């Protein structure tokens, strides 16, 4: 396949199957994964083994012989590459040169092996020692006002380093603790919490044994959480119906062949996953779900007339919910025509989906970035919860609301205190257990931090993983200003673009990956992580690290903290914690006794331990003490509506990518391959706009005349015809991030709205 161009025929195989094995092997070769990498995979997601660093989908109690998926394997191969990015690599390359490489080439240089310090005179990173790095960073951080420094976390680091990272930030003097969640599921943390009292999903694995219908919105399992496909296959095969809402016809939601099943792999037919596929337009979910609710009410009225069992669960609604009246009034006042326009669906499709709901006993809602990354994303989540509440489908076996989280420990990082919101930090416990008084005011989330970079008020950045300068909105502007920071520190496994934007002083601190052995003074260490179902698992590997100079994330956090703080608080035992992580877990257990008691003993139970969820027990931690119906203020979740010549752009991940890490150039499940600088557009829209395949265009953000705003554009994009709703375009993250204005974010959570960006097409 040409590196530049598109696979002409498109992909007609199912998800999983031989295609996924070939995809894995291709990346194993291209990543130059070391000998034994495939054997290491056998330990993945098993009790006693290590937990995959790719997605946050749950790890079953009784795992398959190979409990991993195509993309989990790619992530592991990527981590276990034999390529090394040693200090010598930088001798012949300036940072200015490397900045032009892009993340694909930079990451391909291999695993970072030794601490590096930026030398502004030579414009190069140079070898340094850990001691020198820690003490120089500590000295610089002490010079700065802590409030002007942000500690970012990208969602991979385990619970132990994450807990200590949050303690370090607060002992130093700020709550500037955004994590990747601020660009991802923060809409869930705020929006789902507002209506159910729970900031995380309410389902458990056993609910899948009882579910009859799943409403599956804005999540792409074939690429982003492939292990869920075996579960979806099982539920479909026992008769559960899956109703999908997605502007793209994603292969993983259409058909699947289990690579675990030798018969299906050789002679069997793929399993059809979707019962009904609704190609909503971007942000169309609010209206689409209102249409579904309308139908459910019609079916309920009909049941009442005929003396049949009601569709609504009246007892539940009365006992457990608040605010249905206002919602029903809005529903009655909104016409089918309005719902059709705002959703992009026909009345018939919404009615069919409503019929599935009305004829199912146990219904689950599952969603991802297609809901959270919109200006009114919390209203989309609210509307999904409305639908579930009508039938009493939360807090009951086989039912519930299940956001699919991103990074493998992103939920866990929030759980153990990485948050910019003071009210969510365990302030009392810090005082009681650590004699620590912590700052009173909220810190920066990602958007605030980036605003601070742009206006110069932020002076320092420490990143526990991630590639923040490339993951954020408006990154062309951000890149210009990032270098004005006084200090940038990156704890990382591989080189990326953000590292190539060094501040006035800058360090790269290389760390172990989860699939490597972590040996400290008291012996080999376990770490722990939390999945999307709030289960906590131990993780350990016996694989030799990529370099003898690497440190664990825990050791690095402790090293930085010790060098930065004045050492006057004997309770902050950074050396002791590094020597023995079980002591950190004791501290986590003491901080959150209800959820984490006996953590050291319980984390290695098969299937992990569950830290519980009040909404699962119908205990609603909301202001009213009940689950809240949402009365929507808009019908479409995009922040800027329709206008002549305006399209709404969705930014996507390909099947060969983990966020900004690009493994290769094949987006197999969408039948796309080659250049990532493409714009997908429906053939009808192409005709109407006089465009043909391969035409070169520029996309420019349409800010609806916002005063004082700048021009944002990405050039050099090629048009590719694709099955999409009218008025919709799609292309890749992070290449299209310069089009997302920093101010275009979710209304309650400030999650950047990367799924419904208003743009115009310019030729050339
Ligand atoms: N292999 C791999 N695994 C990953 C990642 C990765 O990059 N690669 N990233 C990890 C991370 S951090 C995260 S957050 C998750 C992300 O996983 P997802 O939540 O699946 O996120 P996206 O890939 O951004 O796309 C979401 C889906 O939403 C659809 N969509 C877009 N707009 C709308 C809309 O308005 N309505 C509806 N209903 N659908 C819409 C898109 O077509 C797409 O299918 O995956 C995690 N797992
Ligand atoms: N337009 C648009 N923008 C988006 C999104 C979108 O859908 N569209 N999605 C958003 C989402 S959901 C997210 S989560 C963010 C992602 O944003 P980030 O989390 O900041 O980005 P990643 O690409 O996951 O970070 C990759 C880097 O992490 C480092 N790394 C990898 N493994 C480890 C490890 O084990 N430890 C440490 N310390 N470092 C490691 C490597 O150096 C690698 O280069 O992007 C967001 N941005
Ligand atoms: Mo994410």
């Amino acid at each position: 396949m040409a590196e530049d161009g598109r696979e002409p025929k498109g992909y007609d195989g199912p998800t999983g199957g031989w295609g996924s094995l070939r995809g894995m092997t291709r990346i194993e070769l291209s990543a130059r994964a070391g000998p034994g990498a495939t054997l290491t995979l056998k330990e993945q997601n098993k009790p006693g083994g290590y937990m995959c660093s790719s997605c946050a989908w749950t790890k079953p109690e009784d795992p398959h012989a190979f409990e991993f998926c195509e993309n989990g394997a790619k992530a592991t191969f990527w981590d276990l590459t034999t390529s090394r990015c040693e200090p010598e690599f930088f001798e012949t390359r300036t940072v200015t040169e490397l900045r032009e490489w892009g993340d694909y080439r930079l990451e391909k240089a291999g695993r970072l092996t030794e601490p590096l310090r930026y030398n502004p005179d030579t414009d190069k990173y140079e070898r340094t020692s850990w001691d020198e790095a820690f003490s120089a960073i500590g000295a610089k951080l002490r010079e700065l006002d802590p409030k002007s420094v942000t500690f970012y976390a990208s969602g991979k680091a385990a619970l132990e380093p994450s807990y200590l990272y949050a303690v370090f930030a607060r002992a130093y003097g700020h709550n500037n603790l955004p994590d990747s969640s601020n660009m991802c599921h923060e809409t869930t943390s705020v929006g789902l919490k507002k209506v159910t009292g729970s900031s995380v999903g309410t389902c458990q694995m056993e609910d899948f044994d009882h579910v009859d219908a799943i409403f599956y919105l804005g999540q792409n399992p074939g690429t982003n959480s492939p292990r869920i496909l075996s579960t979806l296959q099982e539920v479909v095969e026992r008769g559960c119906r899956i109703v999908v809402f997605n502007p793209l016809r994603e292969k993983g939601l259409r058909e699947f062949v289990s690579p675990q099943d030798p018969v299906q792999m050789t002679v069997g037919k793929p399993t059809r996953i979707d019962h009904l596929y609704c190609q909503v337009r971007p942000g169309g979910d609010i209206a689409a779900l209102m249409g579904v609710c309308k139908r459910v009410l019609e079916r309920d009225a009909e049941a009442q007339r005929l003396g049949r069992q009601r569709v609504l669960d009246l007892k539940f609604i009365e006992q457990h919910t608040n605010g249905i009246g206002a919602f029903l009034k809005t529903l009655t006042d909104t016409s089918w025509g309005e719902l059709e326009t705002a959703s992009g669906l026909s009345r018939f499709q919404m009615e069919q989906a409503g019929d599935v709901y009305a004829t199912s006993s146990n219904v689950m809602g599952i969603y991802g970035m297609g809901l959270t990354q919109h200006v009114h994303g919390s209203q989309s989540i609210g509307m999904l919860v409305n639908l579930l509440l009508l039938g009493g489908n939360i807090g009951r076996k086989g039912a519930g609301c299940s956001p699919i989280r991103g990074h493998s420990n992103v939920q866990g990082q929030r759980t153990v205190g990485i948050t910019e919101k003071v009210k969510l930090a365990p302030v009392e416990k810090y005082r009681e257990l650590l004699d620590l008084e912590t700052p009173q005011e909220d810190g920066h989330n990602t958007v605030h931090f980036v605003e601070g970079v742009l206006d110069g008020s932020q002076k320092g950045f420490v990143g526990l993983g991630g590639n923040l300068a490339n993951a954020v909105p408006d990154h062309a502007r951000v890149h210009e200003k990032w270098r004005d920071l006084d200090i940038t520190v990156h704890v990382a496994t591989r080189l990326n673009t953000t590292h190539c934007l060094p501040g006035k002083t800058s360090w790269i601190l290389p760390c172990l990956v989860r699939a490597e052995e972590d040996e400290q003074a008291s012996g080999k260490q376990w770490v722990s992580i939390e999945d999307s179902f709030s289960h906590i698992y131990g993780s350990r590997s016996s694989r030799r690290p990529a370099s003898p100079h690497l440190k664990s994330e825990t050791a690095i956090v402790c090293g930085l903290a010790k060098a930065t703080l004045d050492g006057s608080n004997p309770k902050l035992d950074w050396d002791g914690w590094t020597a023995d992580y079980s002591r950190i877990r004791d501290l986590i257990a003491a901080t959150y006794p209800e959820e984490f008691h006996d953590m050291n003993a319980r984390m290695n139970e098969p299937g992990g331990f569950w830290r519980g969820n009040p909404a699962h027990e119908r205990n609603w931690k909301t202001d009213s003490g009940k689950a809240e119906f949402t009365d929507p203020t808009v019908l479409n979740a995009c922040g800027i509506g329709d206008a002549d010549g305006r399209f709404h752009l969705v930014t996507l991940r390909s099947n060969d990518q983990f966020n900004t890490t690009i493994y290769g150039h094949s987006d197999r499940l969408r039948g796309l391959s080659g250049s990532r600088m493409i714009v997908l557009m429906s053939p009808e829209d192409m005709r109407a706009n006089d465009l043909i395949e391969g035409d070169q265009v520029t996309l420019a953000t349409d800010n609806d005349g916002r005063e004082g705003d700048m021009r944002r554009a990405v050039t050099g994009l090629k048009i590719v015809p694709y099955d999409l709703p009218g008025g919709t375009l799609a292309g890749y993250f992070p290449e299209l991030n310069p089009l997302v204005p920093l101010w275009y974010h979710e209304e309650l959570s400030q999650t950047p709205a990367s799924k419904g960006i208003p743009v115009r097409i310019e030729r050339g």
Side-chain angles (χ1 to χ4, degrees):
M1 183 60 46
E3 274 276 294
D4 183 23
R6 189 171 82 88
E7 200 164 69
K9 287 194 299 303
Y11 180 72
D12 56 7
T15 325
W18 292 108
S20 84
L21 294 186
R22 278 195 292 271
M24 261 167 60
T25 312
R26 184 170 46 78
I27 301 302
E28 181 180 7
L29 292 174
S30 133
R32 303 182 53 212
T38 310
L39 269 182
T40 303
L41 271 184
K42 274 188 106 168
E43 289 177 32
Q44 186 155 309
N45 300 331
K46 301 275 180 54
Y50 70 94
M51 296 302 140
C52 178
S53 67
S54 190
C55 78
W57 180 243
T58 192
K59 292 41 175 179
E61 258 172 71
D62 45 351
H64 294 103
F66 291 92
E67 187 57 46
F68 59 82
C69 65
E70 173 181 354
N71 286 331
K74 284 182 195 168
T76 299
F77 291 145
W78 205 247
D79 280 350
L80 301 184
T81 175
T82 50
S83 303
R84 297 286 178 268
C85 184
E86 293 173 322
E88 289 70 26
F89 168 90
F90 297 91
E91 282 174 6
T92 53
R93 297 168 176 104
T94 62
V95 164
T96 306
E97 239 178 288
L98 290 172
R99 205 157 42 240
E100 300 305 311
W101 279 30
D103 289 320
Y104 177 64
R105 262 183 91 193
L106 289 174
E107 289 225 2
K108 278 220 143 198
R111 288 284 300 282
L112 294 156
T113 58
E114 291 185 51
L116 300 163
R117 178 188 191 133
Y118 178 65
N119 180 345
D121 298 333
T122 56
D123 189 30
K124 286 177 182 166
Y125 275 108
E126 294 169 359
R127 170 185 274 120
T128 186
S129 70
W130 283 104
D131 282 349
E132 187 278 337
F134 286 153
S135 62
I137 295 167
K140 188 78 210 169
L141 288 179
R142 277 199 305 275
E143 272 173 29
L144 296 173
D145 171 5
K147 306 264 179 324
S148 70
V149 180
T150 287
F151 286 12
Y152 170 71
S154 126
K156 282 198 180 174
L159 295 173
E160 292 79 359
S162 301
Y163 179 91
L164 294 183
Y165 194 53
V167 170
F168 170 30
R170 297 189 170 112
Y172 171 52
H174 66 70
N175 284 303
N176 298 335
L177 282 163
D179 82 350
S180 60
S181 197
N182 285 104
M183 295 173 280
C184 182
H185 268 291
E186 187 62 16
T187 310
T188 297
S189 306
V190 176
L192 189 60
K193 189 171 167 87
K194 185 171 169 219
V195 293
T196 66
S198 170
S199 55
V200 299
T202 70
C203 295
Q204 291 292 289
M205 198 59 197
E206 58 263 24
D207 290 322
F208 285 89
D209 296 337
H210 305 280
V211 63
D212 301 315
I214 299 179
F215 280 69
Y216 205 108
L217 300 99
Q219 205 269 337
N220 180 20
T223 288
N224 298 327
S225 49
R227 284 183 308 111
I228 200 178
L229 293 174
S230 319
T231 309
L232 297 183
Q233 183 183 35
E234 278 164 32
V235 302
V236 165
E237 285 177 355
R238 62 163 187 74
C240 171
R241 289 174 292 175
I242 299 186
V243 180
V244 179
F245 294 83
N246 196 312
L248 274 76
R249 295 174 84 76
E250 301 283 24
K251 201 77 187 183
L253 291 161
R254 312 231 61 215
E255 45 185 24
F256 176 63
V257 165
S258 170
Q260 313 274 0
D261 177 346
V263 177
Q264 194 177 34
M265 280 292 277
T266 44
V267 293
K269 282 207 331 220
T271 306
R272 176 74 187 255
I273 299 291
D274 66 300
H275 172 77
L276 182 65
Y277 208 108
C278 303
Q279 274 184 281
V280 275
R281 49 183 300 201
D285 306 86
I286 298 177
L289 290 165
M290 282 175 77
V292 179
C293 291
K294 235 180 187 336
R295 178 61 163 186
V296 168
L297 292 172
E298 284 171 10
R299 292 289 302 248
D300 183 68
E302 182 188 81
Q304 215 177 343
R305 250 191 343 267
L306 299 173
R308 298 216 184 105
Q309 196 192 339
R310 298 283 297 265
V311 178
L312 300 194
D313 184 340
L314 296 180
K315 212 169 129 207
F316 171 85
I317 293 173
E318 190 176 334
Q319 211 178 326
H320 288 285
T321 70
N322 186 40
I324 192 171
F327 167 56
L328 291 184
K329 175 157 191 330
T330 304
L331 204 54
T332 318
D333 292 349
T334 313
S335 70
W336 280 108
E338 288 171 280
L339 296 179
E340 287 184 322
T341 308
S343 68
L345 301 178
S346 66
R347 172 175 177 169
F348 181 61
Q349 285 173 300
M350 293 182 263
E351 286 177 341
Q352 281 182 302
D355 288 341
V356 172
Y357 187 91
T359 52
S360 303
S361 305
N362 302 323
V363 183
M364 205 185 262
I366 294 185
Y367 67 89
M369 296 299 99
L371 293 204
T372 63
Q373 294 178 335
H374 276 297
V375 169
H376 304 292
S378 49
Q379 297 200 40
S380 306
I381 296 174
M383 195 53 64
L384 177 59
V385 169
N386 281 359
L387 175 66
L388 294 171
L389 293 179
L390 289 178
N393 278 304
I394 297 189
R396 178 154 70 69
K397 200 155 66 175
C401 189
S402 195
I404 305 285
R405 291 272 167 170
H407 275 297
S408 57
N409 193 39
V410 64
Q411 185 171 312
Q413 294 193 331
R414 287 297 205 211
T415 303
V416 296
I418 295 200
T419 168
E420 69 282 5
K421 293 173 187 152
V422 176
K423 69 173 195 286
L424 300 178
V427 174
E428 292 295 325
K429 290 288 179 182
Y430 288 144
R431 193 172 295 133
E432 175 191 326
L433 300 166
L434 299 170
D435 279 347
L436 192 66
E437 290 302 326
T438 55
Q440 305 291 313
E441 62 281 15
D442 281 351
H444 292 326
N445 60 23
T446 303
V447 167
H448 297 142
F449 165 67
V450 174
E451 284 167 356
V453 171
L454 294 177
D455 70 19
S457 60
Q458 280 291 295
K459 305 289 183 203
F461 173 81
V462 180
L464 185 57
N467 185 7
L468 192 61
N470 254 12
V472 292
D474 255 341
H475 73 190
R477 272 167 83 205
V478 173
H479 282 198
E480 277 173 37
K481 292 285 188 177
W482 193 275
R483 299 218 49 196
D484 295 342
L485 288 165
D486 285 336
I487 176 169
T488 55
V489 178
H490 301 282
V491 181
T493 53
R494 291 192 181 239
L495 197 60
N496 65 41
T497 302
T498 308
H499 308 153
C500 298
L501 294 161
K504 290 174 193 141
T505 53
S506 183
W507 286 265
I508 301 177
L509 306 178
C511 66
L512 297 173
V513 295
R514 216 179 277 151
E516 286 170 338
E517 187 167 79
D518 183 353
E519 175 122 36
Q520 303 294 344
S522 70
K524 297 187 192 353
Q525 303 298 314
W526 291 89
V527 292
S528 55
I529 58 138
E530 173 177 339
D531 71 16
S532 291
F533 287 159
S534 312
H535 281 243
I536 319 292
Y537 309 83
S539 172
R540 172 159 96 165
S541 171
S542 49
R543 198 181 161 90
R544 198 151 57 108
S547 147
H549 306 293
L550 298 181
K551 282 191 187 290
S552 70
E553 286 165 318
T554 306
I556 296 173
V557 168
C558 291
L560 288 171
K562 193 177 163 193
T564 307
L565 305 175
D566 62 13
S568 62
N569 182 346
K571 291 266 174 77
L572 300 179
D573 184 9
W574 305 106
D575 289 337
W577 288 326
T578 305
D580 180 0
Y581 299 179
S582 71
R583 290 191 44 207
I584 313 171
R585 286 187 288 276
D586 286 338
L587 193 56
I588 296 176
T591 308
Y592 307 96
E594 249 176 62
E595 297 166 303
F596 283 91
H597 64 90
D598 302 313
M599 182 180 182
N600 274 305
R602 291 196 299 155
M603 70 178 186
N604 285 321
E605 289 168 6
F609 71 87
W610 183 42
R611 69 174 176 86
N613 179 329
H616 184 267
E617 320 304 330
R618 296 194 166 172
N619 174 4
W620 317 101
K621 303 263 185 202
T622 56
D623 291 344
S624 65
K626 296 194 171 184
E628 294 286 343
F629 275 95
T630 300
D631 182 18
T633 60
V634 288
L635 294 182
N636 186 289
C638 292
I640 292 181
D642 292 335
D644 251 3
R646 181 183 292 159
F647 291 82
H648 283 97
L649 170 74
V650 171
T651 53
L652 296 167
R653 297 162 158 75
S654 87
N655 192 50
D656 256 1
Q657 127 179 39
F658 191 95
N659 297 340
T660 66
T661 297
I662 311 300
Y663 303 126
H665 287 82
S666 161
D667 195 359
R668 179 172 55 85
L669 300 175
R670 298 196 182 109
L672 302 169
S673 175
S675 169
R676 292 172 50 88
M677 294 296 282
I678 57 173
V679 187
L680 309 181
M681 188 175 193
S682 78
E684 296 72 34
D685 279 345
M686 282 170 60
R687 263 193 302 279
N689 288 273
D690 213 8
L691 288 163
I692 56 166
E693 178 164 2
D695 272 356
Q696 188 149 326
V697 295
T698 293
L699 290 188
T701 307
D702 178 349
N703 62 11
D704 204 21
R706 188 184 164 101
E707 230 174 276
D709 200 26
M710 57 181 281
R711 174 176 158 86
R712 296 176 180 81
V714 172
T715 53
L717 296 161
K718 282 210 174 120
I719 293 283
V720 171
Y722 206 80
D723 182 1
L724 284 174
T728 304
L729 302 176
Y732 291 120
F733 145 59
E735 286 79 354
L736 298 180
N737 282 40
L739 296 171
V740 191
L742 189 60
W743 49 262
Y744 194 65
H745 55 65
E746 209 279 326
E747 55 193 340
L748 301 183
S749 67
Q750 302 207 307
T751 304
S754 316
K755 294 290 187 266
I757 311 152
V759 293
R760 287 179 183 274
I761 300 179
E762 297 168 3
R763 280 172 187 280

